Amino acid sequence: MNKITAPKGTRDILPDEIYKWQYAEKIFAQVCDLFAYREIRIPTFESTEVFQRGVGDTTDVVQKEMYTFLDKGGRSISLRPEGTAGVARSYIENGMGSIPAPVRLYYNITAFRYENVQKGRYREFHQLGLEAFGSYGPEIDAEIISLLSFYFNKMGLKSTKIKINSIGCPSCRKTYDILLCDYLRPHLDSMCSTCKERFDKNPLRIIDCKEARCKVITMDAPALLDNICEECSTHFAALEENLKTLGISYEIDKRIVRGLDYYTKTVFEFVSEHVGTQGTICGGGRYDGLIEEFGGVKTPGIGFALGLERLLMEIDSQEIVIDKPDNSIIYFANLGQSGADLAKVLCMNFRSRGIKAETDLMGRSLKAQMKYASKTGFRYVVVLGEEEISAGKVKLKNMAEGTEQEILISDMYCMEF
Ligand code: HAM
């Protein structure tokens, strides 16, 4: 019979490694809280239209990578390939426009993309992200980039320079598209079939194509940042000023266009050399037209998402140590019915005082229980049998030091470590 395995591009996160995930998630939640972001939980799947209209139907994510299916009621459903579109849908549906702006939301989600699986690129992956709605000014762009930098520092990352760019607004994009098409036209025959289609519909997406032949062609394409309108240029200059005021180190990278259609003006990424060819750990930007695109009142937005798998790879490659949680504290080896009963009661007493405690529930021999306690790494072991109970005292064994201390059973109920 064939062995059952996890689907390609998915993986189990096992108890021995989960502490790193929990730590990264906990620090993210703490940092978001410090910056006044509140958690939102959105559905794992949405109507396909949410992503077609939000992320854009000429993007790789929507055209090639979405898990889309008809449900039993004949509705087209897609597993979320990212969080922004769902959060924007929720913002409108739940009337969050009436909350005083900026409305700051953060999330911790799984996302799904049918991609070619390789190091750092999975079909199910995890994102920590946030979105802020309602503020047009560059101050919030700078605050979000500073939050990201603050988080990276808290996680102990050493090189955290964030790359920024501006991809302008729909009006400067129109002018730029003409310029880009003039540049690309002579190379049209050598491009992949998807990019040939994109040439008429959305030429900027060609710059983001993952095909090697298209990458070569776009290498010397004119940069959007050199062709943005005055308003977008003023916004970008003010963002730089704000970042300088906050002391955030950044670098301008005119090649960043991002792979999703909703972006306007500011875009940013954090890229590492350690995470395989897919080095982008985090990406984000402003999307001032998304809420309107979804039928809501025109409202600006900005946010980012970072890939947890890639962040943890970076943490490992920078040899940053995340402390393992304490091993279990105390183990009650038990003998006979009265020993087993008292062990259970003492375990509950210790747990109620916040101390991890365990006892044998499988009727194992004393030798087997001691072997289990030492393998599991308990700090203390106590043997509870008829003899100890009638004497009213036990020996508390310190496993690391190999020492023993006699202690009254009655004192164990208020014992501290
Ligand atoms: P994104 O750049 O598509 O942006 O994804 C954000 C991050 O998710 C990436 O930088 C990467 O770390 C991680 N990621 C993406 N695809 C995969 C994959 N197949 N395997 C592992 N990790 C992956 C967004 O998703 C936007 N929603 C970000 C945003 C929020 N923009 C504004 N607000």
Side-chain angles (χ1 to χ4, degrees):
M1 213 194 293
N2 280 343
K3 216 164 83 182
I4 298 175
T5 54
K8 189 174 173 190
T10 69
R11 55 178 295 239
D12 304 308
I13 305 157
L14 299 173
D16 276 347
E17 54 179 332
I18 199 74
Y19 69 97
K20 293 187 185 177
W21 292 72
Q22 288 169 338
Y23 181 75
E25 290 165 355
K26 184 179 82 183
I27 300 296
F28 187 70
Q30 282 171 0
V31 169
C32 285
D33 188 48
L34 285 172
F35 281 74
Y37 282 78
R38 294 186 302 154
E39 187 178 358
I40 182 166
R41 298 193 184 183
I42 48 166
T44 307
F45 55 86
E46 301 270 355
S47 303
T48 301
E49 197 192 352
V50 168
F51 305 113
Q52 283 169 337
R53 279 168 61 184
V55 174
D57 52 13
T58 50
T59 57
D60 267 2
V61 169
V62 170
Q63 273 188 321
K64 301 179 182 171
E65 297 164 5
M66 263 203 323
Y67 281 89
T68 299
F69 55 93
L70 290 181
D71 73 5
K72 288 188 170 49
R75 304 168 194 90
S76 180
I77 295 291
S78 295
L79 298 185
R80 60 182 173 214
E82 56 102 57
T84 312
V87 173
R89 193 262 316 130
S90 172
Y91 174 90
I92 301 168
E93 196 170 335
N94 294 292
M96 287 189 240
S98 61
I99 301 173
V103 177
R104 295 181 166 103
L105 304 166
Y106 80 91
Y107 49 86
N108 174 359
I109 59 168
T110 47
F112 308 85
R113 295 185 192 176
Y114 191 81
E115 295 205 69
N116 289 327
V117 177
Q118 50 180 268
K119 189 180 173 197
R121 202 199 274 176
Y122 308 99
R123 291 185 177 168
E124 182 189 30
F125 56 98
H126 298 75
Q127 283 188 340
L128 299 176
L130 58 81
E131 315 293 344
F133 297 94
S135 180
Y136 280 104
E139 289 77 13
I140 196 132
D141 308 25
E143 188 186 78
I144 283 180
I145 293 171
S146 71
L147 181 157
L148 186 59
S149 165
F150 186 79
Y151 175 64
F152 286 154
N153 287 339
K154 280 232 159 216
M155 291 301 294
L157 290 184
K158 281 166 212 110
S159 103
T160 59
K161 196 172 274 178
I162 292 157
K163 295 182 172 182
I164 62 168
N165 191 21
S166 173
I167 59 163
C169 61
S171 110
C172 36
R173 278 279 295 283
K174 257 188 213 147
T175 327
Y176 175 75
D177 281 353
I178 297 169
L179 202 68
L180 183 61
C181 285
D182 286 347
Y183 170 85
L184 292 172
R185 198 166 289 107
H187 306 281
L188 206 50
D189 285 346
S190 327
M191 289 194 277
C192 75
S193 55
T194 320
C195 283
K196 279 180 189 148
E197 257 176 61
R198 287 168 173 164
F199 183 81
D200 292 318
K201 289 189 191 155
N202 192 355
L204 186 67
R205 286 279 68 88
I206 299 174
I207 295 199
D208 189 48
C209 183
K210 288 172 192 143
E211 295 258 349
R213 55 187 157 148
C214 301
K215 276 188 173 170
V216 172
I217 295 170
T218 55
M219 205 105 77
D220 298 318
L224 224 173
L225 187 65
D226 298 332
N227 294 282
I228 53 176
C229 68
E230 205 182 319
E231 192 209 317
C232 292
S233 173
T234 308
H235 186 100
F236 193 66
L239 165 64
E240 284 198 75
E241 281 311 310
N242 273 275
L243 289 175
K244 281 176 195 149
T245 306
L246 289 164
I248 306 298
S249 66
Y250 68 93
E251 195 179 301
I252 297 174
D253 182 348
K254 295 181 182 177
R255 301 272 318 163
I256 299 175
V257 290
R258 310 281 303 125
L260 314 163
D261 266 353
Y262 44 63
Y263 292 112
T264 52
K265 292 185 177 157
T266 308
V267 285
F268 54 92
E269 285 182 350
F270 173 63
V271 183
S272 145
E273 307 103 54
H274 302 118
V275 189
T277 46
Q278 292 305 302
T280 314
I281 292 180
C282 176
R286 178 168 276 282
Y287 45 87
D288 291 347
L290 180 60
I291 296 290
E292 204 179 14
E293 172 64 38
F294 279 172
V297 177
K298 189 166 167 49
T299 309
I302 176 164
F304 70 74
L306 61 90
L308 252 172
E309 284 82 359
R310 295 186 191 175
L311 174 75
L312 292 173
M313 281 165 77
E314 179 68 11
I315 282 177
D316 280 347
S317 61
Q318 288 198 19
E319 294 176 1
I320 296 162
V321 179
I322 296 175
D323 289 336
K324 269 194 177 173
D326 245 357
N327 282 332
S328 302
I329 309 282
I330 187 161
Y331 183 75
F332 293 97
N334 66 70
L335 291 167
Q337 193 56 52
S338 50
D341 286 346
L342 182 57
K344 277 179 251 170
V345 171
L346 278 168
C347 270
M348 286 308 284
N349 171 276
F350 274 68
R351 290 166 188 154
S352 70
R353 293 185 287 124
I355 302 164
K356 292 182 202 175
E358 202 184 318
T359 187
D360 179 66
L361 302 175
M362 294 167 65
R364 280 185 286 209
S365 70
L366 183 60
K367 197 175 159 201
Q369 291 185 54
M370 295 307 279
K371 203 169 155 192
Y372 172 82
S374 127
K375 252 190 155 170
T376 311
F378 283 94
R379 270 199 255 162
Y380 300 96
V381 173
V382 168
V383 178
L384 278 174
E386 308 277 335
E387 214 178 285
E388 285 79 8
I389 292 171
S390 55
K393 52 191 172 190
V394 290
K395 286 198 180 101
L396 178 76
K397 192 170 169 157
N398 183 320
M399 298 296 274
E401 292 168 12
T403 54
E404 279 185 350
Q405 182 195 344
E406 212 164 60
I407 191 159
L408 289 175
I409 292 178
S410 55
D411 285 349
M412 295 220 63
Y413 290 91
C414 50
M415 192 180 155
E416 280 177 14
F417 294 98

